[in-house]
Amino acid sequence: MFGFFAPLRIAHLNSTPFSTKERILGAAEELFARNGFAGASLRELTASAKVNLAAVNYHFGSKDNLINEVFRRRLDELSTHRLEALQAARDKAKSTLEDILAAFIHPALALSVDKPGGATFVRVLARAYAEHNERLRKFLSENYGHVLKEFAAAISAELPHLDKEELYWRIDIIAGALTYAMADFGVIKRRGSMSEKVHRERAAEHLIRFAAAGLRAD
Amino acid sequence: MFGFFAPLRIAHLNSTPFSTKERILGAAEELFARNGFAGASLRELTASAKVNLAAVNYHFGSKDNLINEVFRRRLDELSTHRLEALQAARDKAKSTLEDILAAFIHPALALSVDKPGGATFVRVLARAYAEHNERLRKFLSENYGHVLKEFAAAISAELPHLDKEELYWRIDIIAGALTYAMADFGVIKRRGSMSEKVHRERAAEHLIRFAAAGLRAD
DNA sequence: TTATGATTCAAACAAGTGTTTGGTTTTTTT
DNA sequence: AAAAAAACCAAACACTTGTTTGAATCATAA
């Protein structure tokens, strides 16, 4: 038989198309979105990822660190795209407030529409906002706080008449609204006839116009 | 000694100014706001309320039912105030969109400013939004869903040119923004010099103008 | 005072938690 | 092919979870 029907195995690759670490991250994303960080157990998680219970601690050290890595996997790229889009908006001859808001919103939209699991991750992101978890807030602030600072400065430059306090209030409100809208929270369900992609693209359009109007009010 | 220094006990009243049930509800509100529903344990909760561990199951039956009662204690009154304010806005000769939005927002503001623990409860409310907990969503929808429907109808009457789908999108965004703003989530911290009360009153003002502008956009 | 019901309490229960262990298997390097 | 390293896995660990129990204590009514 000379192993004619032996399973093909390629070096460094799992028998499945995804490595153990990637399967864990994917399952974690899904379960954290559905049950929260405290509500998702490692046993449920590892069963869903089809890996051994001990694999989480072997590859990530702890559940807390796994949570960090779930964010890092998506936020590194998202932050880069947002800052690139912001730079492009600033380089335009006549950049508007809408351009800046789009630079923040569109990369998140692209993530949630194009990347598999992206939509799920945006829901995890909204959970991180809602949870007052001090450890997680510190991790996110230390690693990605500079992005929000850049956008706040750009909006401030666009609305020089607005004093800092008022501006921060409005940005605060927008951040919350964005997170909710993109995460598809809220009570009103989308119509079944509309696809997920169209649904989210409209949300982004509405949010940009809505936010711009709110920022310009008075 | 004829019991001269014996502790005074009055019929039907606990030795503390609050009954066991009320102390449990208060501690639950505080801990649910801080750690979430899954993250708050009954042992931590009963210790904080200075009651026996078994008291929760004795007075409320289960942890799930305790969660329900934490909402019922505040939402019954809040919903009544909101609907009364909405009726008052409708009775006005020339009621504006701002009046309707204020009818929704101001009662929540009053709750968070005037009632002890009210601000904490608004944070619990935001958590309920973020959690996709099916059991809790069903309870809230069944008991308080009619309030949101009333407001949606009133706003729709004020903006007849807006089609239903567009309107629902915008109301959805506002509900999220309101919850976030009132819960004091978001990254920007308030200035230490400003009192909690002033802080929240300004938030409500900004939110009403912001939401009205967004709803009228286009 | 005695009986009755409501409330509190320490203790135990069964089940679930994140993490660690020690050995086996698989993969990579020498 | 042998040695070294990496990955996997079943089982156990120590601990926390919500809930239940049965006796003790309290308040009210007979």
Side-chain angles (χ1 to χ4, degrees):
Chain A
M1 296 286 190
F2 301 98
F4 259 68
F5 293 92
L8 248 174
R9 288 189 181 270
I10 304 168
H12 280 234
L13 259 70
N14 212 312
S15 59
T16 77
F18 296 103
S19 72
T20 298
K21 284 183 82 165
E22 281 166 339
R23 290 219 305 285
I24 291 174
L25 286 170
E29 200 165 59
E30 191 67 48
L31 279 169
F32 290 159
R34 188 158 54 229
N35 303 330
F37 304 109
S41 78
L42 291 188
R43 278 169 181 79
E44 193 182 1
L45 198 158
T46 50
S48 158
K50 295 189 203 306
V51 301
N52 186 272
L53 169 61
V56 168
N57 289 277
Y58 177 78
H59 285 286
F60 296 95
S62 68
K63 183 183 180 180
D64 274 349
N65 195 246
L66 168 63
I67 296 173
N68 289 354
E69 294 307 313
V70 165
F71 284 96
R72 195 194 304 280
R73 177 170 70 145
R74 305 283 187 184
L75 286 187
D76 282 351
E77 196 177 352
L78 177 61
S79 298
T80 302
H81 287 169
R82 277 178 164 165
L83 290 176
E84 283 170 0
L86 178 59
Q87 193 55 49
R90 279 171 153 163
D91 289 347
K92 275 178 68 172
K94 283 180 48 171
S95 76
T96 68
L97 187 57
E98 278 81 358
D99 293 327
I100 296 171
L101 291 170
F104 191 81
I105 291 170
H106 278 154
L109 173 72
L111 167 63
S112 81
V113 171
D114 299 335
K115 295 263 177 181
T120 304
F121 175 72
V122 175
R123 287 168 53 208
V124 177
L125 209 48
R127 271 203 186 265
Y129 265 84
E131 299 222 0
H132 262 186
N133 187 324
E134 209 46 59
R135 195 200 58 76
L136 180 56
R137 286 179 95 83
K138 194 183 169 207
F139 170 80
L140 293 174
S141 170
E142 278 174 2
N143 287 279
Y144 307 101
H146 65 285
V147 179
L148 278 185
K149 286 222 178 77
E150 284 283 335
F151 275 89
I155 293 173
S156 179
E158 208 69 39
L159 299 168
H161 65 286
L162 228 61
D163 69 57
K164 278 267 189 293
E165 188 211 328
E166 177 87 13
L167 173 72
Y168 281 161
W169 262 117
R170 300 190 180 189
I171 290 177
D172 202 16
I173 291 171
I174 290 169
L178 166 63
T179 309
Y180 263 72
M182 298 300 281
D184 200 10
F185 286 165
V187 268
I188 293 107
K189 300 269 175 262
R190 74 170 184 283
R191 297 233 294 277
S193 59
M194 210 185 304
S195 80
E196 189 78 11
K197 184 176 163 63
V198 173
H199 173 82
R200 291 185 184 274
E201 276 166 359
R202 293 202 185 184
E205 272 176 53
H206 295 164
L207 194 61
I208 290 170
R209 280 186 291 161
F210 179 90
L215 283 169
R216 288 208 183 88
D218 246 358
Chain B
M1 297 289 196
F2 301 97
F4 260 68
F5 294 93
L8 249 173
R9 289 192 179 270
I10 303 169
H12 279 236
L13 258 69
N14 210 313
S15 59
T16 75
F18 296 104
S19 72
T20 299
K21 282 182 84 164
E22 282 167 337
R23 291 218 305 287
I24 290 174
L25 286 170
E29 199 165 60
E30 190 67 50
L31 279 169
F32 290 160
R34 189 157 54 229
N35 304 330
F37 304 109
S41 80
L42 291 188
R43 277 167 182 82
E44 192 182 2
L45 199 158
T46 50
S48 158
K50 294 189 203 305
V51 301
N52 186 273
L53 169 61
V56 168
N57 290 277
Y58 177 77
H59 285 285
F60 296 94
S62 67
K63 182 184 180 180
D64 274 348
N65 195 246
L66 169 62
I67 295 173
N68 290 354
E69 293 308 313
V70 165
F71 283 98
R72 195 193 305 281
R73 177 170 70 145
R74 306 283 188 184
L75 285 187
D76 282 351
E77 197 178 351
L78 177 61
S79 297
T80 303
H81 287 169
R82 277 178 164 165
L83 290 176
E84 283 171 359
L86 179 60
Q87 194 52 51
R90 280 170 153 162
D91 289 346
K92 276 180 67 171
K94 283 179 50 172
S95 75
T96 66
L97 187 58
E98 278 82 357
D99 293 326
I100 297 171
L101 291 170
F104 191 81
I105 291 170
H106 278 155
L109 173 72
L111 166 63
S112 81
V113 171
D114 300 335
K115 296 263 177 183
T120 304
F121 175 72
V122 176
R123 286 166 55 207
V124 177
L125 208 49
R127 270 200 188 269
Y129 265 84
E131 300 222 359
H132 261 186
N133 187 323
E134 208 47 57
R135 195 200 59 77
L136 181 55
R137 287 178 95 83
K138 193 182 170 207
F139 170 81
L140 293 175
S141 170
E142 278 174 1
N143 287 279
Y144 307 100
H146 65 285
V147 180
L148 277 185
K149 284 221 178 78
E150 284 284 335
F151 274 89
I155 293 173
S156 180
E158 208 68 39
L159 298 169
H161 66 286
L162 228 60
D163 69 59
K164 277 267 188 292
E165 186 211 329
E166 177 88 13
L167 173 72
Y168 282 160
W169 263 118
R170 299 189 182 190
I171 289 177
D172 200 18
I173 291 171
I174 290 169
L178 166 63
T179 309
Y180 262 57
M182 300 299 282
D184 201 9
F185 286 168
V187 268
I188 292 106
K189 299 272 176 256
R190 75 172 185 283
R191 297 234 293 277
S193 60
M194 211 185 304
S195 80
E196 189 77 12
K197 185 176 162 63
V198 173
H199 173 84
R200 289 184 186 276
E201 277 167 355
R202 292 203 185 183
E205 273 176 52
H206 294 165
L207 194 62
I208 290 170
R209 280 186 291 160
F210 179 91
L215 282 170
R216 288 208 183 87
D218 246 1

